[in-house]
Amino acid sequence: MPQTSFSLSTVDVSDVDHIVRHVLIPAMRTTPLHRTMFPLGDTATEQEKDIINLWYSEMFRRAVEDHAVEEPWDNFFKASTSDGTPIGFCSWETEQKKHEGVGERRIGTWVPTTLDVPIWIRLCKVLQLERKWVLQDHDDICCKISGEEEEEEEAKKEATMASPKVSEALAQIQSSPDQPAAFESLLDNLNTLSTPQNFANDLKAILNTAFHSLAVGVVAQRAVLDKYVAALRGVNDADLWVELGTYALSIVEPSSSGGGSSGQALASGGTFPDQAAALRELAADGHEAHEDHDEAAATLAQIALDSSQRRVTDEDRVRVWVRIVRNYLEVDNTVAAETYLNKLKNVIYQVDDPTLNLHFRLSQARIQDAKREFLSASQAYHDISHSPAISEDERLHTLSMAVKCAILAPAGPLRSRALGRLFKDERAPHLDEFGMLEKMFFDRLLAPAEVDKFARGLAPHQLALTADGSTVLARAVVEHNLLAVSRLYLNVDFASLAAVLGSLDPAKAEDTTARMIEQGRLAGRIDQIEGVVYFEGGFDEAAASGEKGGGSGRADGASVGREMRRWDANVQGLAEEVENVTNLLQREFPDFVAANLVV
């Protein structure tokens, strides 16, 4: 293979476009990295390919310009042929340099539409971690600053960012004979030494000095963390709770906070379990204040509740799990909420705190409501509405939720009992839903306008579509109106029934009727040949007790007795008719009767 001579020289901005288009892009186009970033690159149009080239050129140009402004690039060269044409480039890195202000000029950089941005971001993170892993054991070759020295440098940087009074106090602590007491005194008096603008930097500087610069004993570090949390709680600032709580966790538990190994045996999660739990609760408070409930639940879920290194009571577990459940319910994540609710069920009976028990019962009712277990949810809401631990307005709101769930429950005797219990509640007439409750309790037909008004007060999950494409409310109203029809008619054809129900065709009306009869929620029988449903004396609890009667919709006991009495009445009626015919024959044709009648 012939060898080509080339020369090395510094890269100029004017060389960028030629290097990108004729060197970088041709070399990268078939690489796995480029194919991952641009999965549709092979099918891209010429215009899209030009946009990709322009994007690379712009990034390359920005990098060259940034280094030209901040610091000349002494380790990046272009390789050129004898006529000066760039044919490649080479570079190496002797230490990691941070250029202040460069990031500000990159704000607003555009990206090609063919770039898979999420994959690109993930690749950048993975490559950064890979680079760090490769260089971690080669500090004598590539890195001038080792891991421990880097932490010390970072700690010194944080200390220089502290306010003058706090910096002076930290300097005095280094020569103090009792450093733990000096740290505690500094944190106790931090409000007088610091300012609101420097409060965050001052706390960071104190923590870094205690854990990195001086590295006092574990007992002293625990005391510093306790005072740190107390000082942070004294500031009513949710942003600081999240920022400084997370920052402290990155020092106390670097592995769980994405900080990697710190190189210090003392800074491990098992060394400060109580302090880590307090920091997570503080950060969760901040997330809740920002209504970031997903992040709050995830933060609380990381608290070690089964660790052998700290004593955790059942009440402590319940308190954390209740908060997690409530946060997940705020974002309608009922699956995750139910996971922690199941944990609560195993220990809640051992906790006497009335507030925790109330929150548990309310969370259970909300999960049952979300799972469309409306009868159970209605019962739970109604019980909670009598609790003296909540205000009168909250009791009425909970009663309203009980009424809504009872109305949405499947029609039948169980729902009738729930409606009757709520209708007899003396507070019910004050609710907006009372009109709907009254009509359902007395089995009256519901008008579409009444249903639409009621629907406006329902939660989104209560208006969700079911498997057949209808809403939970629409199905509940159809079943209720079907029961109301059974009180008005002894029999009705399905075409007329569909017209009365309003929102169904005859086939759907027949399916709904058959399902209710099969489930024992409606007493009747269907003549499919004639297309008629025969109701068995209307709806009552004796005829439809909720038990399945072999698909007939009739229960044993009282229902069977009623059928036997009806059979006896029919036989008696038939015998009476035969007797009447015989009497008429004897009166009109006595000879015929005497010759043919057999007694």
Side-chain angles (χ1 to χ4, degrees), residues 25 99 103 159 167 177 260 263 269 283 290 294 334 339 365 375 378 417 434 466 495 532 581:
I25 293 295
H99 303 279
S167 299
H290 291 147
D294 258 331
T334 55
T339 300
L375 281 175
S378 176
R417 283 195 286 270
F434 181 72
T466 59
V532 176
V581 171

Side-chain angles (χ1 to χ4, degrees), residues 80-214:
S80 304
T81 57
S82 57
D83 62 354
T85 302
I87 59 173
F89 61 92
C90 59
S91 67
W92 58 86
E93 183 172 351
T94 56
E95 69 175 20
Q96 187 175 358
K97 300 177 181 179
K98 296 181 180 178
H99 303 279
E100 300 294 334
V102 174
E104 295 179 0
R105 282 193 297 274
R106 293 184 181 180
I107 295 176
T109 301
W110 60 275
V111 295
T113 57
T114 52
L115 175 65
D116 192 334
V117 176
I119 293 294
W120 178 42
I121 295 174
R122 288 175 59 188
L123 279 173
C124 291
K125 292 181 179 179
V126 170
L127 291 173
Q128 288 173 356
L129 292 175
E130 183 72 11
R131 175 188 177 279
K132 183 177 180 180
W133 177 78
V134 169
L135 298 180
Q136 63 181 352
D137 296 325
H138 300 284
D139 52 320
D140 57 334
I141 297 177
C142 299
C143 295
K144 293 182 179 179
I145 302 177
S146 66
E148 294 183 0
E149 292 173 345
E150 188 175 348
E151 288 182 353
E152 292 179 4
E153 290 295 326
E154 189 66 23
K156 291 178 182 178
K157 181 180 178 182
E158 295 287 351
T160 58
M161 295 171 59
S163 60
K165 291 183 179 180
V166 173
S167 299
E168 182 181 353
L170 290 174
Q172 294 174 357
I173 289 176
Q174 295 183 6
S175 58
S176 172
D178 190 357
Q179 292 179 344
F183 272 114
E184 293 184 30
S185 176
L186 173 59
L187 287 167
D188 286 335
N189 300 307
L190 186 61
N191 288 332
T192 59
L193 298 175
S194 181
T195 62
Q197 293 78 14
N198 291 327
F199 189 80
N201 291 332
D202 289 341
L203 275 178
K204 290 180 180 179
I206 294 171
L207 205 61
N208 275 294
T209 302
F211 277 81
H212 296 303
S213 299
L214 297 182

Side-chain angles (χ1 to χ4, degrees), residues 504-535:
L504 299 181
D505 54 39
K508 204 73 172 237
E510 181 178 354
D511 290 342
T512 303
T513 305
R515 184 179 66 251
M516 292 182 66
I517 291 176
E518 192 273 335
Q519 294 173 351
R521 295 187 287 128
L522 178 66
R525 58 188 175 85
I526 295 176
D527 186 338
Q528 289 186 306
I529 297 177
E530 298 294 335
V532 176
V533 56
Y534 294 89
F535 299 112

Side-chain angles (χ1 to χ4, degrees), residues 147-329:
E148 294 183 0
E149 292 173 345
E150 188 175 348
E151 288 182 353
E152 292 179 4
E153 290 295 326
E154 189 66 23
K156 291 178 182 178
K157 181 180 178 182
E158 295 287 351
T160 58
M161 295 171 59
S163 60
K165 291 183 179 180
V166 173
S167 299
E168 182 181 353
L170 290 174
Q172 294 174 357
I173 289 176
Q174 295 183 6
S175 58
S176 172
D178 190 357
Q179 292 179 344
F183 272 114
E184 293 184 30
S185 176
L186 173 59
L187 287 167
D188 286 335
N189 300 307
L190 186 61
N191 288 332
T192 59
L193 298 175
S194 181
T195 62
Q197 293 78 14
N198 291 327
F199 189 80
N201 291 332
D202 289 341
L203 275 178
K204 290 180 180 179
I206 294 171
L207 205 61
N208 275 294
T209 302
F211 277 81
H212 296 303
S213 299
L214 297 182
V216 296
V218 174
V219 176
Q221 288 176 337
R222 287 175 179 166
V224 170
L225 282 173
D226 289 336
K227 291 291 184 179
Y228 177 92
V229 173
L232 197 51
R233 282 199 178 278
V235 181
N236 188 21
D237 190 331
D239 292 325
L240 283 181
W241 292 349
V242 174
E243 177 189 353
L244 296 181
T246 306
Y247 182 82
L249 283 170
S250 68
I251 296 176
V252 173
E253 295 182 348
S255 59
S256 65
S257 303
S261 175
S262 65
Q264 292 193 13
L266 296 179
S268 61
T271 310
F272 311 99
D274 292 323
Q275 291 74 23
L279 288 168
R280 285 197 167 90
E281 289 185 3
L282 187 65
D285 290 338
H287 288 306
E288 288 175 351
H290 291 147
E291 297 185 356
D292 188 0
H293 298 287
D294 258 331
E295 194 64 33
T299 302
L300 291 168
Q302 295 179 21
I303 296 177
L305 298 176
D306 298 317
S307 173
S308 59
Q309 297 180 336
R310 61 187 295 250
R311 182 177 180 274
V312 183
T313 64
D314 288 332
E315 186 169 322
D316 294 334
R317 290 189 181 90
V318 168
R319 182 172 288 106
V320 173
W321 286 339
V322 162
R323 286 187 64 185
I324 294 174
V325 170
R326 295 181 68 191
N327 276 293
Y328 277 133
L329 287 176

Side-chain angles (χ1 to χ4, degrees), residues 67-87:
H67 279 275
V69 172
E70 300 295 332
E71 178 175 345
W73 226 347
D74 57 358
N75 56 355
F76 189 72
F77 297 91
K78 65 179 178 180
S80 304
T81 57
S82 57
D83 62 354
T85 302
I87 59 173

